[in-house]
Amino acid sequence: MKSILAAVSLATLFLTSSTVGAVICSFLLPAKSENPFAATALSGYYLEAGSDGSAKLVNGQELVAVRYGSNAPLGLWVTPPPTANACPAYKWLNAAAPTGAVGYETLTWDASPITYWNATAGSELSTVVDGKSISKFIACKPIASTDSSYTLFLQTAPADTITGAPSSIDITTCVQTKIVVI
């Protein structure tokens, strides 16, 4: 698997405490570079992880540590808030069709990779669903959004809206986009 990690810092000990107990995380900090996953329909927006584990498009290109390649899992280094009682680690972008969903699959960042992505520089991010290569996404604003981010879904049908969308999504704000690996 191809990795976009140029260097690794010295091992660091990270201690997070909570009312339940303490979590001690020993890890190597991966090097960060500019986010390579840009939305085509929303200029200046990049793929990120939401605090709720959802896939988001956020305004601005931040420094991130990612792992990706051709037909490989796509990983993003995520540091949970101190109250989460969890260690920083790579989270993996996965797609799954929720019950009652038509035309889209939910994207989440999980502890284990399930979905394999084609992510090579200069190409569109894609995966295979039911034997077909899919590279279209739908970005929608959450109803209770306090920022400019969009929740991202994998588009699996020709329509540019999503039927059976979560009630937290404002479907009038949905935009069809692709993600280009820069």
Side-chain angles (χ1 to χ4, degrees):
M1 175 178 16
K2 189 175 181 182
S3 178
I4 304 297
L5 300 176
V8 178
S9 68
L10 296 174
T12 303
L13 182 64
F14 180 78
L15 177 65
T16 303
S17 61
S18 73
T19 57
V20 178
V23 174
I24 299 175
C25 306
S26 180
F27 58 91
L28 296 176
L29 292 172
K32 295 182 177 185
S33 58
E34 289 186 337
N35 189 328
F37 300 103
T40 58
L42 297 163
S43 181
Y45 279 78
Y46 295 85
L47 179 64
E48 275 281 355
S51 59
D52 60 355
S54 65
K56 298 278 188 186
L57 288 179
V58 297
N59 193 4
Q61 187 176 26
E62 307 225 350
L63 293 178
V64 295
V66 292
R67 289 184 174 179
Y68 62 91
S70 178
N71 195 29
L74 191 157
L76 176 70
W77 185 261
V78 176
T79 302
T83 57
N85 209 17
C87 295
Y90 277 100
K91 296 292 184 175
W92 305 96
L93 184 61
N94 291 313
T99 305
V102 178
Y104 76 98
E105 292 192 10
T106 301
L107 295 170
T108 56
W109 295 95
D110 302 308
S112 299
I114 297 169
T115 305
Y116 282 67
W117 299 90
N118 287 312
T120 54
S123 67
E124 296 169 348
L125 181 65
S126 66
T127 191
V128 175
V129 175
D130 296 329
K132 294 189 295 188
S133 180
I134 306 287
S135 62
K136 292 180 182 176
F137 297 84
I138 300 172
C140 304
K141 286 255 192 209
I143 290 173
S145 179
T146 57
D147 60 21
S148 61
S149 69
Y150 288 79
T151 300
L152 194 63
F153 301 93
L154 182 65
Q155 181 180 344
T156 57
D160 61 355
T161 59
I162 52 181
T163 303
S167 60
S168 61
I169 298 298
D170 180 356
I171 60 170
T172 64
T173 64
C174 294
V175 176
Q176 185 181 58
T177 190
K178 292 188 175 201
I179 306 296
V180 175
V181 185
I182 51 176

